[in-house]
Amino acid sequence: MKFIRNQLLKFEMDPTLAGYLSILIMLLFIILICVMANFITKQVVIRMITKIVKNTKYQWDNMLLERKVFHKLSHIVPAIIIYHFASAFPTYHNAIEKGAIAYLTIMGLIVINSLLNAMNDIYQTYEISKIKPVKGYIQVIKIIVVLFGSILVIANLMGKSPLLLLSGIGALSAVLMLVFKDSLLGLVAGVQLTANDMVRVGDWIEVPNYGANGDVLDISLNTVKVQNFDKTITMLPSYALISESFINWRGMQASGGRRIKRSLFVDTTSISFCTEEMIEKFKHIHFLSDYIIEREKEIVTYNSKNKINQTNRVNGRALTNIGVFRAYISRYLQNHPGINQEMTLMVRQLAPNENGLPIEIYAFANSVQWAVYETVQADIFDHLFAVAPEFDIRLFQNPSGSDFRALRINSEEIG
């Protein structure tokens, strides 16, 4: 800068004006160098690195590129240039150096954070990551790195030793933890909720212990605001979602299907072998005609091959009304427009109990909207309740007052 000032003084310029103008020219020169260095780094060096990375057969370098580790490294170059030219401004020399070092430290923390994320991404490409995840350990390393980096930045700006700052923080830590207990718990919970992607604004969550069942409206340091489906608002402490279990329905909403898991209870005394008349009737049911014909062939072939004595229906194989009913339900669901055919679809028997034999329908509606889901579910069971008698199936129901009244009337008539 002295050289520039001396050159200006040769033009018989006022010394004060020459001093200010030399500072301005020097600033413009430094800015120009920084812009050029940044341009060369991003437009030439980064593009070359990107091209080399994309042409390699390895995947780990792609992870570094996706996390923009190289892009963030490019921000260090202008700071190094500014630090180098700090001596050109004697009055502000210390301030410029401290600012440049603080910026370099912060950018170093950002680069390390991106590098740790890339390391986690690389690790997740291996099968062992499903058994032994390291994301928790990486998060701990991030916290430690950020903590020490922050101490270095503050110590640099204050012009003090980092060890002195650490001793002061240690003395105040107990008081700070006592005074800001809820805020610290909320802060830690917020970091964990965000880092693990446990809750987002708009998610449908259910927290039974707090009576919350609805959509997340807001996530702050200390509270999570949930609007329940009855339009009431529940305020949850953030750390409650870490310390206690809750249900997040985001996976269901993202899948495009909502589960139907409900049973019909069949009166076991109505279960029987199919008669010839029943089989002929079933052949005229649209969803069962091919099934009945195919099953009859299988049964005849099996019984003939194994020389089954068919004088007693207990011997060999035969169709039952409950088996045909299950087959009908399965085919009915496979042809229902409200059922997602790409997801699990199953009609199964559960263990019999005092209410009869449960026939459970396990399927997924093709809409996650509550009203549509309930309509699809109701339509299916409306139909099944109505068609069960066509298979000589009685559905179980505990006796009602009308049943006892009818029994009393019949008894009186007999008497």
Side-chain angles (χ1 to χ4, degrees):
M1 193 165 65
K2 288 182 180 180
F3 174 77
I4 298 172
R5 186 173 182 276
N6 291 332
Q7 293 299 318
L8 292 174
L9 289 174
K10 288 181 180 180
F11 294 98
E12 298 182 356
M13 186 177 292
D14 182 72
T16 304
L17 180 60
Y20 287 123
L21 191 57
S22 63
I23 293 173
L24 179 61
I25 294 172
M26 192 64 186
L27 285 173
L28 292 174
F29 177 70
I30 293 172
I31 292 171
L32 180 62
I33 293 177
C34 290
V35 170
M36 289 177 61
N38 187 62
F39 177 81
I40 293 171
T41 305
K42 288 186 175 179
Q43 299 300 322
V44 179
V45 178
I46 298 297
R47 285 190 177 184
M48 288 177 60
I49 293 173
T50 303
K51 188 175 181 180
I52 293 170
V53 167
K54 289 184 177 178
N55 290 330
T56 61
K57 61 181 180 179
Y58 304 106
Q59 291 297 319
W60 62 267
D61 50 1
N62 292 328
M63 303 293 184
L64 295 174
L65 197 62
E66 289 175 5
R67 289 292 182 175
K68 296 185 176 181
V69 175
F70 303 114
H71 292 76
K72 290 169 183 176
L73 276 171
S74 67
H75 292 285
I76 295 176
V77 178
I80 294 174
I81 294 171
I82 292 172
Y83 179 82
H84 178 74
F85 283 99
S87 59
F89 305 92
T91 307
Y92 305 101
H93 178 260
N94 289 334
I96 294 172
E97 281 192 347
K98 287 180 180 179
I101 292 173
Y103 179 80
L104 286 170
T105 306
I106 292 170
M107 288 310 305
L109 294 176
I110 294 173
V111 170
I112 292 172
N113 182 70
S114 298
L115 186 60
L116 289 171
N117 289 333
M119 290 174 60
N120 184 57
D121 293 341
I122 294 167
Y123 182 74
Q124 286 182 339
T125 60
Y126 297 95
E127 287 296 324
I128 194 173
S129 64
K130 298 177 182 178
I131 303 172
K132 296 181 178 180
V134 297
K135 188 174 182 179
Y137 302 109
I138 288 177
Q139 289 174 345
V140 172
I141 294 172
K142 284 182 182 180
I143 293 172
I144 295 171
V145 168
V146 170
L147 179 62
F148 279 98
S150 301
I151 292 171
L152 289 175
V153 170
I154 296 170
N156 172 67
L157 293 175
M158 294 176 62
K160 302 292 184 181
S161 171
L163 296 176
L164 182 64
L165 193 60
L166 278 171
S167 63
I169 291 175
L172 290 173
S173 60
V175 177
L176 291 173
M177 290 180 65
L178 180 63
V179 174
F180 300 104
K181 182 188 71 172
D182 292 336
S183 296
L184 290 172
L185 287 172
L187 177 62
V188 174
V191 170
Q192 290 181 316
L193 290 173
T194 303
N196 297 316
D197 197 20
M198 297 171 66
V199 177
R200 303 176 189 167
V201 174
D203 282 356
W204 169 18
I205 67 171
E206 186 176 348
V207 191
N209 291 344
Y210 288 84
N213 186 10
D215 298 326
V216 177
L217 296 181
D218 182 54
I219 302 174
S220 62
L221 177 63
N222 294 321
T223 58
V224 176
K225 183 187 292 185
V226 178
Q227 184 178 50
N228 301 311
F229 293 121
D230 59 0
K231 300 304 178 184
T232 58
I233 302 293
T234 300
M235 305 297 291
L236 306 172
S238 298
Y239 55 83
L241 300 182
I242 300 297
S243 60
E244 300 181 21
S245 63
F246 70 98
I247 299 173
N248 190 330
W249 294 87
R250 187 201 309 159
M252 178 273 295
Q253 293 173 322
S255 70
R258 187 169 177 184
R259 188 182 70 176
I260 297 172
K261 187 174 181 289
R262 186 179 290 183
S263 298
L264 293 167
F265 289 88
V266 175
D267 188 341
T268 53
T269 61
S270 67
I271 298 174
S272 64
F273 289 111
C274 293
T275 63
E276 292 296 331
E277 293 78 10
M278 291 169 67
I279 292 174
E280 287 302 317
K281 183 175 71 171
F282 294 155
K283 286 181 180 179
H284 293 88
I285 297 175
H286 178 66
F287 295 137
L288 286 178
S289 55
D290 293 339
Y291 170 79
I292 295 297
I293 293 170
E294 183 180 345
R295 289 288 290 166
E296 275 192 310
K297 290 180 181 179
E298 289 180 7
I299 291 170
V300 170
T301 302
Y302 176 85
N303 290 338
S304 300
K305 182 179 178 180
N306 293 278
K307 298 178 182 180
I308 301 297
N309 180 7
Q310 295 182 311
T311 57
N312 191 323
R313 301 184 69 182
V314 174
N315 299 327
R317 296 173 62 180
L319 289 170
T320 61
N321 61 343
I322 188 68
V324 175
F325 185 48
R326 283 193 299 107
Y328 172 79
I329 296 173
S330 179
R331 283 157 178 74
Y332 172 73
L333 294 175
Q334 290 169 5
N335 290 274
H336 196 287
I339 296 297
N340 190 323
Q341 303 300 325
E342 301 298 323
M343 304 180 80
T344 305
L345 194 159
M346 180 168 51
V347 180
R348 61 176 182 169
Q349 288 187 14
L350 301 181
N353 55 39
E354 67 277 6
N355 295 323
L357 176 66
I359 303 296
E360 184 184 76
I361 292 174
Y362 193 102
F364 289 80
N366 57 13
S367 174
V368 298
Q369 296 181 17
W370 192 5
V372 177
Y373 161 78
E374 292 293 351
T375 300
V376 170
Q377 185 171 233
D379 286 344
I380 290 171
F381 282 89
D382 287 348
H383 178 77
L384 296 181
F385 281 123
V387 301
E390 299 297 322
F391 296 86
D392 292 344
I393 293 289
R394 287 193 306 273
L395 299 180
F396 179 84
Q397 176 179 288
N398 285 321
S400 63
S402 59
D403 295 322
F404 289 115
R405 192 180 305 112
L407 181 63
R408 181 177 58 80
I409 292 172
N410 290 337
S411 299
E412 291 176 352
E413 290 178 351
I414 293 172

